[in-house]
């Protein structure tokens, strides 16, 4: 079970780092759009982290 939790955390962290790395390469004209997209993606990752943690918790209890 610990391996599954670590794997989920590694995948989420890799996705977040990849998103942040790619967002800095945007065109100057699209800076405001990139910031908005980045904010939404960070919120999606945070929500996903909560859902995954809750799912793992439910799995452990059952």
């Amino acid at each position: 079970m610990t391996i599954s939790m670590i794997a989920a955390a590694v995948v989420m962290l890799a996705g977040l780092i990849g998103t942040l790395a790619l967002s800095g390469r945007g065109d100057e004209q699209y800076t405001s759009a990139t910031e908005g997209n980045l904010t939404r993606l960070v919120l999606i990752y945070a929500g996903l982290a909560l859902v995954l943690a809750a799912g793992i918790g439910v799995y452990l209890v059952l």
Side-chain angles (χ1 to χ4, degrees):
M1 182 53 57
T2 304
I3 294 171
S4 298
M5 291 173 38
I6 292 171
V10 167
V11 168
M12 286 186 345
L13 188 60
L16 179 61
I17 290 171
T19 300
L20 292 174
L22 291 175
S23 68
R25 298 182 184 177
D27 215 2
E28 290 298 324
Q29 297 173 355
Y30 298 105
T31 302
S32 61
T34 301
E35 289 175 5
N37 290 337
L38 183 59
T39 302
R40 285 188 288 278
L41 284 172
V42 167
L43 291 174
I44 289 169
Y45 283 126
L48 181 61
L50 291 174
V51 170
L52 287 174
I56 291 171
V58 168
Y59 180 77
L60 290 175
V61 170
L62 297 178

